[in-house]
mmCIF file of all heavy atoms in Angstrom:
data_model
loop_
_atom_site.group_PDB
_atom_site.id
_atom_site.type_symbol
_atom_site.label_atom_id
_atom_site.label_comp_id
_atom_site.label_asym_id
_atom_site.label_seq_id
_atom_site.Cartn_x
_atom_site.Cartn_y
_atom_site.Cartn_z
ATOM 1 N N SER U 640 -15.267 -10.039 21.936
ATOM 2 C CA SER U 640 -15.170 -11.078 20.928
ATOM 3 C C SER U 640 -16.042 -10.908 19.813
ATOM 4 O O SER U 640 -15.882 -11.517 18.715
ATOM 5 C CB SER U 640 -15.346 -12.426 21.669
ATOM 6 O OG SER U 640 -16.743 -12.655 21.903
ATOM 7 N N LEU U 641 -17.166 -10.194 19.955
ATOM 8 C CA LEU U 641 -18.069 -9.916 18.838
ATOM 9 C C LEU U 641 -17.351 -8.972 17.827
ATOM 10 O O LEU U 641 -17.885 -8.941 16.660
ATOM 11 C CB LEU U 641 -19.363 -9.287 19.405
ATOM 12 C CG LEU U 641 -20.278 -10.219 20.149
ATOM 13 C CD1 LEU U 641 -21.366 -9.432 20.767
ATOM 14 C CD2 LEU U 641 -20.642 -11.451 19.425
ATOM 15 N N ALA U 642 -16.414 -8.212 18.219
ATOM 16 C CA ALA U 642 -15.748 -7.336 17.270
ATOM 17 C C ALA U 642 -14.794 -8.007 16.356
ATOM 18 O O ALA U 642 -14.357 -7.452 15.336
ATOM 19 C CB ALA U 642 -15.069 -6.201 18.026
ATOM 20 N N VAL U 643 -14.422 -9.219 16.719
ATOM 21 C CA VAL U 643 -13.370 -9.900 15.846
ATOM 22 C C VAL U 643 -13.813 -10.161 14.461
ATOM 23 O O VAL U 643 -13.001 -9.987 13.556
ATOM 24 C CB VAL U 643 -12.960 -11.241 16.604
ATOM 25 C CG1 VAL U 643 -12.142 -12.101 15.697
ATOM 26 C CG2 VAL U 643 -12.237 -10.984 17.918
ATOM 27 N N PRO U 644 -15.024 -10.516 14.155
ATOM 28 C CA PRO U 644 -15.428 -10.660 12.789
ATOM 29 C C PRO U 644 -15.441 -9.395 11.935
ATOM 30 O O PRO U 644 -15.331 -9.375 10.788
ATOM 31 C CB PRO U 644 -16.827 -11.240 12.844
ATOM 32 C CG PRO U 644 -16.961 -11.797 14.127
ATOM 33 C CD PRO U 644 -16.090 -10.969 15.062
ATOM 34 N N ALA U 645 -15.303 -8.194 12.607
ATOM 35 C CA ALA U 645 -15.365 -6.956 12.003
ATOM 36 C C ALA U 645 -13.924 -6.750 11.252
ATOM 37 O O ALA U 645 -13.841 -5.962 10.309
ATOM 38 C CB ALA U 645 -15.703 -5.895 12.864
ATOM 39 N N VAL U 646 -12.925 -7.315 11.855
ATOM 40 C CA VAL U 646 -11.591 -7.125 11.242
ATOM 41 C C VAL U 646 -11.520 -7.585 9.834
ATOM 42 O O VAL U 646 -11.068 -6.884 8.933
ATOM 43 C CB VAL U 646 -10.520 -7.635 12.159
ATOM 44 C CG1 VAL U 646 -9.157 -7.541 11.591
ATOM 45 C CG2 VAL U 646 -10.578 -6.952 13.577
ATOM 46 N N PRO U 647 -11.820 -8.881 9.565
ATOM 47 C CA PRO U 647 -11.791 -9.328 8.167
ATOM 48 C C PRO U 647 -12.765 -8.564 7.274
ATOM 49 O O PRO U 647 -12.466 -8.305 6.076
ATOM 50 C CB PRO U 647 -12.105 -10.867 8.275
ATOM 51 C CG PRO U 647 -12.012 -11.183 9.645
ATOM 52 C CD PRO U 647 -12.117 -9.944 10.462
ATOM 53 N N ALA U 648 -13.863 -8.174 7.761
ATOM 54 C CA ALA U 648 -14.785 -7.407 6.971
ATOM 55 C C ALA U 648 -14.219 -6.043 6.635
ATOM 56 O O ALA U 648 -14.337 -5.630 5.366
ATOM 57 C CB ALA U 648 -16.176 -7.207 7.695
ATOM 58 N N GLY U 649 -13.594 -5.403 7.562
ATOM 59 C CA GLY U 649 -12.976 -4.090 7.151
ATOM 60 C C GLY U 649 -11.786 -4.237 6.201
ATOM 61 O O GLY U 649 -11.688 -3.475 5.302
ATOM 62 N N LEU U 650 -11.060 -5.408 6.385
ATOM 63 C CA LEU U 650 -10.038 -5.571 5.370
ATOM 64 C C LEU U 650 -10.540 -5.944 4.064
ATOM 65 O O LEU U 650 -10.007 -5.468 3.046
ATOM 66 C CB LEU U 650 -9.148 -6.862 5.922
ATOM 67 C CG LEU U 650 -7.954 -7.273 4.974
ATOM 68 C CD1 LEU U 650 -6.977 -6.204 4.883
ATOM 69 C CD2 LEU U 650 -7.390 -8.536 5.480
ATOM 70 N N ALA U 651 -11.579 -6.637 3.939
ATOM 71 C CA ALA U 651 -12.262 -6.984 2.679
ATOM 72 C C ALA U 651 -12.685 -5.656 1.962
ATOM 73 O O ALA U 651 -12.667 -5.639 0.700
ATOM 74 C CB ALA U 651 -13.447 -7.913 2.869
ATOM 75 N N PHE U 652 -13.171 -4.736 2.650
ATOM 76 C CA PHE U 652 -13.587 -3.429 1.990
ATOM 77 C C PHE U 652 -12.386 -2.457 1.779
ATOM 78 O O PHE U 652 -12.317 -1.813 0.730
ATOM 79 C CB PHE U 652 -14.654 -2.706 2.894
ATOM 80 C CG PHE U 652 -15.927 -3.409 2.694
ATOM 81 C CD1 PHE U 652 -16.375 -4.072 3.860
ATOM 82 C CD2 PHE U 652 -16.759 -3.388 1.605
ATOM 83 C CE1 PHE U 652 -17.655 -4.757 3.782
ATOM 84 C CE2 PHE U 652 -17.985 -4.013 1.575
ATOM 85 C CZ PHE U 652 -18.411 -4.714 2.681
ATOM 86 N N ALA U 653 -11.494 -2.469 2.639
ATOM 87 C CA ALA U 653 -10.383 -1.435 2.614
ATOM 88 C C ALA U 653 -9.227 -1.831 1.554
ATOM 89 O O ALA U 653 -8.672 -0.955 0.928
ATOM 90 C CB ALA U 653 -9.736 -1.193 3.976
ATOM 91 N N HIS U 654 -8.950 -3.114 1.556
ATOM 92 C CA HIS U 654 -7.819 -3.639 0.726
ATOM 93 C C HIS U 654 -8.022 -3.281 -0.724
ATOM 94 O O HIS U 654 -7.051 -2.726 -1.301
ATOM 95 C CB HIS U 654 -7.584 -5.084 1.002
ATOM 96 C CG HIS U 654 -6.409 -5.528 0.269
ATOM 97 N ND1 HIS U 654 -5.066 -5.239 0.681
ATOM 98 C CD2 HIS U 654 -6.283 -6.381 -0.798
ATOM 99 C CE1 HIS U 654 -4.208 -5.756 -0.187
ATOM 100 N NE2 HIS U 654 -4.879 -6.471 -1.109
ATOM 101 N N PRO U 655 -9.113 -3.610 -1.327
ATOM 102 C CA PRO U 655 -9.219 -3.222 -2.729
ATOM 103 C C PRO U 655 -9.122 -1.826 -3.072
ATOM 104 O O PRO U 655 -8.497 -1.363 -4.036
ATOM 105 C CB PRO U 655 -10.579 -3.789 -3.109
ATOM 106 C CG PRO U 655 -10.932 -4.714 -2.151
ATOM 107 C CD PRO U 655 -10.272 -4.288 -0.903
ATOM 108 N N VAL U 656 -9.630 -0.971 -2.148
ATOM 109 C CA VAL U 656 -9.500 0.458 -2.316
ATOM 110 C C VAL U 656 -8.064 0.919 -2.180
ATOM 111 O O VAL U 656 -7.625 1.704 -2.956
ATOM 112 C CB VAL U 656 -10.364 1.261 -1.247
ATOM 113 C CG1 VAL U 656 -10.146 2.777 -1.316
ATOM 114 C CG2 VAL U 656 -11.859 0.930 -1.459
ATOM 115 N N ASN U 657 -7.358 0.436 -1.212
ATOM 116 C CA ASN U 657 -5.978 0.772 -1.139
ATOM 117 C C ASN U 657 -5.124 0.377 -2.320
ATOM 118 O O ASN U 657 -4.215 1.072 -2.765
ATOM 119 C CB ASN U 657 -5.378 0.239 0.246
ATOM 120 C CG ASN U 657 -5.809 1.048 1.441
ATOM 121 O OD1 ASN U 657 -5.937 2.239 1.315
ATOM 122 N ND2 ASN U 657 -6.034 0.325 2.453
ATOM 123 N N VAL U 658 -5.355 -0.883 -2.763
ATOM 124 C CA VAL U 658 -4.680 -1.348 -3.951
ATOM 125 C C VAL U 658 -4.857 -0.426 -5.072
ATOM 126 O O VAL U 658 -3.992 -0.100 -5.881
ATOM 127 C CB VAL U 658 -5.040 -2.821 -4.233
ATOM 128 C CG1 VAL U 658 -4.559 -3.239 -5.622
ATOM 129 C CG2 VAL U 658 -4.592 -3.736 -3.226
ATOM 130 N N TRP U 659 -6.120 -0.027 -5.317
ATOM 131 C CA TRP U 659 -6.453 0.885 -6.458
ATOM 132 C C TRP U 659 -5.755 2.183 -6.273
ATOM 133 O O TRP U 659 -5.182 2.860 -7.287
ATOM 134 C CB TRP U 659 -7.948 1.096 -6.485
ATOM 135 C CG TRP U 659 -8.413 1.929 -7.646
ATOM 136 C CD1 TRP U 659 -8.584 1.517 -8.939
ATOM 137 C CD2 TRP U 659 -8.645 3.374 -7.668
ATOM 138 N NE1 TRP U 659 -8.960 2.621 -9.733
ATOM 139 C CE2 TRP U 659 -9.063 3.736 -8.962
ATOM 140 C CE3 TRP U 659 -8.556 4.371 -6.620
ATOM 141 C CZ2 TRP U 659 -9.249 5.021 -9.332
ATOM 142 C CZ3 TRP U 659 -8.940 5.622 -7.004
ATOM 143 C CH2 TRP U 659 -9.201 6.012 -8.304
ATOM 144 N N LEU U 660 -5.738 2.748 -5.060
ATOM 145 C CA LEU U 660 -4.962 4.041 -4.755
ATOM 146 C C LEU U 660 -3.576 3.961 -5.022
ATOM 147 O O LEU U 660 -2.980 4.839 -5.648
ATOM 148 C CB LEU U 660 -5.295 4.502 -3.378
ATOM 149 C CG LEU U 660 -6.676 4.884 -2.980
ATOM 150 C CD1 LEU U 660 -6.890 5.167 -1.508
ATOM 151 C CD2 LEU U 660 -7.087 6.261 -3.774
ATOM 152 N N VAL U 661 -2.882 2.853 -4.619
ATOM 153 C CA VAL U 661 -1.490 2.700 -4.865
ATOM 154 C C VAL U 661 -1.230 2.572 -6.408
ATOM 155 O O VAL U 661 -0.253 3.085 -6.931
ATOM 156 C CB VAL U 661 -0.921 1.526 -4.004
ATOM 157 C CG1 VAL U 661 0.486 1.205 -4.458
ATOM 158 C CG2 VAL U 661 -1.038 1.852 -2.487
ATOM 159 N N ALA U 662 -2.023 1.643 -7.064
ATOM 160 C CA ALA U 662 -1.769 1.382 -8.408
ATOM 161 C C ALA U 662 -1.926 2.642 -9.335
ATOM 162 O O ALA U 662 -1.339 2.757 -10.310
ATOM 163 C CB ALA U 662 -2.816 0.323 -8.969
ATOM 164 N N ASN U 663 -2.726 3.624 -8.810
ATOM 165 C CA ASN U 663 -2.972 4.870 -9.562
ATOM 166 C C ASN U 663 -2.194 6.030 -9.040
ATOM 167 O O ASN U 663 -2.499 7.155 -9.394
ATOM 168 C CB ASN U 663 -4.466 5.200 -9.656
ATOM 169 C CG ASN U 663 -5.190 4.215 -10.484
ATOM 170 O OD1 ASN U 663 -5.092 4.195 -11.642
ATOM 171 N ND2 ASN U 663 -5.907 3.320 -9.894
ATOM 172 N N HIS U 664 -1.229 5.712 -8.208
ATOM 173 C CA HIS U 664 -0.333 6.707 -7.703
ATOM 174 C C HIS U 664 -0.991 7.855 -6.913
ATOM 175 O O HIS U 664 -0.554 8.993 -6.887
ATOM 176 C CB HIS U 664 0.611 7.351 -8.842
ATOM 177 C CG HIS U 664 1.258 6.391 -9.588
ATOM 178 N ND1 HIS U 664 2.382 5.605 -9.073
ATOM 179 C CD2 HIS U 664 1.171 5.936 -10.895
ATOM 180 C CE1 HIS U 664 2.817 4.802 -10.032
ATOM 181 N NE2 HIS U 664 2.100 4.953 -11.131
ATOM 182 N N LEU U 665 -2.067 7.519 -6.281
ATOM 183 C CA LEU U 665 -2.852 8.453 -5.438
ATOM 184 C C LEU U 665 -2.408 8.333 -3.980
ATOM 185 O O LEU U 665 -2.647 9.119 -3.122
ATOM 186 C CB LEU U 665 -4.281 8.320 -5.535
ATOM 187 C CG LEU U 665 -4.803 8.657 -6.963
ATOM 188 C CD1 LEU U 665 -6.325 8.322 -7.036
ATOM 189 C CD2 LEU U 665 -4.561 10.114 -7.275
ATOM 190 N N LYS U 666 -1.716 7.169 -3.688
ATOM 191 C CA LYS U 666 -1.231 6.857 -2.311
ATOM 192 C C LYS U 666 0.004 6.023 -2.529
ATOM 193 O O LYS U 666 0.131 5.261 -3.491
ATOM 194 C CB LYS U 666 -2.359 6.116 -1.661
ATOM 195 C CG LYS U 666 -1.885 5.488 -0.333
ATOM 196 C CD LYS U 666 -3.012 4.681 0.237
ATOM 197 C CE LYS U 666 -2.563 4.114 1.589
ATOM 198 N NZ LYS U 666 -3.453 3.088 2.186
ATOM 199 N N HIS U 667 0.953 6.090 -1.677
ATOM 200 C CA HIS U 667 2.144 5.256 -1.747
ATOM 201 C C HIS U 667 1.999 4.109 -0.794
ATOM 202 O O HIS U 667 1.338 4.112 0.270
ATOM 203 C CB HIS U 667 3.389 6.022 -1.450
ATOM 204 C CG HIS U 667 3.525 6.610 -0.185
ATOM 205 N ND1 HIS U 667 3.798 5.946 0.914
ATOM 206 C CD2 HIS U 667 3.241 7.904 0.255
ATOM 207 C CE1 HIS U 667 3.858 6.652 1.982
ATOM 208 N NE2 HIS U 667 3.538 7.916 1.621
ATOM 209 N N GLY U 668 2.546 2.994 -1.149
ATOM 210 C CA GLY U 668 2.627 1.783 -0.276
ATOM 211 C C GLY U 668 3.795 1.899 0.623
ATOM 212 O O GLY U 668 4.483 2.933 0.719
ATOM 213 N N MET U 669 4.026 0.867 1.417
ATOM 214 C CA MET U 669 5.180 0.788 2.327
ATOM 215 C C MET U 669 6.493 0.697 1.675
ATOM 216 O O MET U 669 7.487 1.199 2.165
ATOM 217 C CB MET U 669 4.931 -0.271 3.368
ATOM 218 C CG MET U 669 3.707 -0.042 4.208
ATOM 219 S SD MET U 669 3.462 -1.346 5.465
ATOM 220 C CE MET U 669 4.834 -1.185 6.497
ATOM 221 N N GLY U 670 6.532 0.026 0.518
ATOM 222 C CA GLY U 670 7.792 -0.104 -0.144
ATOM 223 C C GLY U 670 7.621 0.626 -1.500
ATOM 224 O O GLY U 670 7.385 0.032 -2.516
ATOM 225 N N THR U 671 7.840 1.939 -1.521
ATOM 226 C CA THR U 671 7.547 2.710 -2.701
ATOM 227 C C THR U 671 8.703 2.791 -3.520
ATOM 228 O O THR U 671 9.929 2.385 -3.201
ATOM 229 C CB THR U 671 7.192 4.221 -2.196
ATOM 230 O OG1 THR U 671 8.335 4.702 -1.554
ATOM 231 C CG2 THR U 671 5.970 4.301 -1.361
ATOM 232 N N VAL U 672 8.577 3.223 -4.732
ATOM 233 C CA VAL U 672 9.658 3.398 -5.694
ATOM 234 C C VAL U 672 10.713 4.258 -5.167
ATOM 235 O O VAL U 672 11.943 4.029 -5.311
ATOM 236 C CB VAL U 672 9.095 3.858 -7.059
ATOM 237 C CG1 VAL U 672 10.237 4.225 -7.967
ATOM 238 C CG2 VAL U 672 8.172 2.881 -7.664
ATOM 239 N N ARG U 673 10.289 5.430 -4.496
ATOM 240 C CA ARG U 673 11.333 6.368 -3.979
ATOM 241 C C ARG U 673 12.128 5.729 -2.739
ATOM 242 O O ARG U 673 13.191 6.086 -2.432
ATOM 243 C CB ARG U 673 10.693 7.629 -3.579
ATOM 244 C CG ARG U 673 9.850 7.554 -2.373
ATOM 245 C CD ARG U 673 9.433 8.996 -1.994
ATOM 246 N NE ARG U 673 8.603 8.850 -0.840
ATOM 247 C CZ ARG U 673 7.332 9.054 -0.830
ATOM 248 N NH1 ARG U 673 6.676 9.303 -1.970
ATOM 249 N NH2 ARG U 673 6.628 8.913 0.261
ATOM 250 N N ALA U 674 11.629 4.698 -2.129
ATOM 251 C CA ALA U 674 12.291 4.009 -1.053
ATOM 252 C C ALA U 674 13.069 2.832 -1.529
ATOM 253 O O ALA U 674 14.205 2.486 -1.017
ATOM 254 C CB ALA U 674 11.365 3.592 0.002
ATOM 255 N N LEU U 675 12.562 2.025 -2.468
ATOM 256 C CA LEU U 675 13.247 0.806 -3.050
ATOM 257 C C LEU U 675 13.801 0.895 -4.363
ATOM 258 O O LEU U 675 14.520 0.004 -4.737
ATOM 259 C CB LEU U 675 12.164 -0.286 -2.943
ATOM 260 C CG LEU U 675 11.618 -0.675 -1.567
ATOM 261 C CD1 LEU U 675 10.563 -1.708 -1.744
ATOM 262 C CD2 LEU U 675 12.696 -1.033 -0.660
ATOM 263 N N GLY U 676 13.520 2.012 -5.163
ATOM 264 C CA GLY U 676 13.954 2.019 -6.557
ATOM 265 C C GLY U 676 12.997 1.184 -7.468
ATOM 266 O O GLY U 676 12.108 0.566 -6.992
ATOM 267 N N GLU U 677 13.250 1.221 -8.749
ATOM 268 C CA GLU U 677 12.407 0.618 -9.714
ATOM 269 C C GLU U 677 12.274 -0.825 -9.679
ATOM 270 O O GLU U 677 11.208 -1.438 -9.773
ATOM 271 C CB GLU U 677 12.812 1.026 -11.092
ATOM 272 C CG GLU U 677 12.620 2.489 -11.570
ATOM 273 C CD GLU U 677 11.067 2.780 -11.627
ATOM 274 O OE1 GLU U 677 10.209 1.936 -11.902
ATOM 275 O OE2 GLU U 677 10.711 3.956 -11.397
ATOM 276 N N ASP U 678 13.387 -1.501 -9.332
ATOM 277 C CA ASP U 678 13.376 -2.890 -9.265
ATOM 278 C C ASP U 678 13.329 -3.501 -7.832
ATOM 279 O O ASP U 678 13.730 -4.704 -7.679
ATOM 280 C CB ASP U 678 14.636 -3.497 -10.014
ATOM 281 C CG ASP U 678 14.633 -3.072 -11.469
ATOM 282 O OD1 ASP U 678 13.552 -3.064 -12.094
ATOM 283 O OD2 ASP U 678 15.671 -2.753 -11.985
ATOM 284 N N GLY U 679 13.043 -2.692 -6.829
ATOM 285 C CA GLY U 679 12.974 -3.187 -5.539
ATOM 286 C C GLY U 679 14.331 -3.083 -4.791
ATOM 287 O O GLY U 679 14.469 -3.455 -3.732
ATOM 288 N N GLU U 680 15.286 -2.571 -5.470
ATOM 289 C CA GLU U 680 16.600 -2.454 -4.934
ATOM 290 C C GLU U 680 16.706 -1.226 -4.035
ATOM 291 O O GLU U 680 16.148 -0.176 -4.436
ATOM 292 C CB GLU U 680 17.725 -2.440 -5.997
ATOM 293 C CG GLU U 680 17.801 -3.646 -6.778
ATOM 294 C CD GLU U 680 18.272 -4.887 -5.894
ATOM 295 O OE1 GLU U 680 19.050 -4.792 -4.950
ATOM 296 O OE2 GLU U 680 17.654 -5.937 -6.109
ATOM 297 N N PRO U 681 17.394 -1.198 -2.896
ATOM 298 C CA PRO U 681 17.492 0.019 -2.153
ATOM 299 C C PRO U 681 18.155 1.165 -2.891
ATOM 300 O O PRO U 681 19.124 0.869 -3.702
ATOM 301 C CB PRO U 681 18.343 -0.328 -0.935
ATOM 302 C CG PRO U 681 18.148 -1.866 -0.890
ATOM 303 C CD PRO U 681 17.955 -2.305 -2.284
ATOM 304 N N LEU U 682 17.692 2.351 -2.819
ATOM 305 C CA LEU U 682 18.294 3.522 -3.448
ATOM 306 C C LEU U 682 19.572 3.827 -2.692
ATOM 307 O O LEU U 682 19.785 3.543 -1.586
ATOM 308 C CB LEU U 682 17.269 4.685 -3.420
ATOM 309 C CG LEU U 682 16.096 4.493 -4.264
ATOM 310 C CD1 LEU U 682 15.073 5.681 -4.048
ATOM 311 C CD2 LEU U 682 16.330 4.408 -5.671
ATOM 312 N N PRO U 683 20.476 4.687 -3.369
ATOM 313 C CA PRO U 683 21.710 5.103 -2.697
ATOM 314 C C PRO U 683 21.274 5.967 -1.531
ATOM 315 O O PRO U 683 20.116 6.390 -1.368
ATOM 316 C CB PRO U 683 22.406 5.978 -3.779
ATOM 317 C CG PRO U 683 21.647 5.753 -5.057
ATOM 318 C CD PRO U 683 20.385 5.047 -4.782
ATOM 319 N N THR U 684 22.171 6.206 -0.662
ATOM 320 C CA THR U 684 21.936 6.991 0.607
ATOM 321 C C THR U 684 21.260 8.261 0.274
ATOM 322 O O THR U 684 21.452 8.866 -0.798
ATOM 323 C CB THR U 684 23.236 7.195 1.344
ATOM 324 O OG1 THR U 684 24.156 8.000 0.459
ATOM 325 C CG2 THR U 684 23.961 5.962 1.774
ATOM 326 N N ALA U 685 20.458 8.701 1.226
ATOM 327 C CA ALA U 685 19.716 9.937 1.048
ATOM 328 C C ALA U 685 20.618 11.223 1.029
ATOM 329 O O ALA U 685 21.770 11.158 1.386
ATOM 330 C CB ALA U 685 18.731 10.096 2.260
ATOM 331 N N ALA U 686 20.005 12.242 0.459
ATOM 332 C CA ALA U 686 20.712 13.567 0.501
ATOM 333 C C ALA U 686 21.073 14.011 1.867
ATOM 334 O O ALA U 686 20.327 13.650 2.798
ATOM 335 C CB ALA U 686 19.816 14.545 -0.277
#
């Protein structure tokens, strides 16, 4: 139960770094442009 407070602390440090990485195209998010298209619409079927 002492480890429970570590979860929000880890999120507080990791989330801004991940947002920066995704915003600068150094990492992709779960719903990427190649998966959802420019406007969030699903792309046509894969090759």
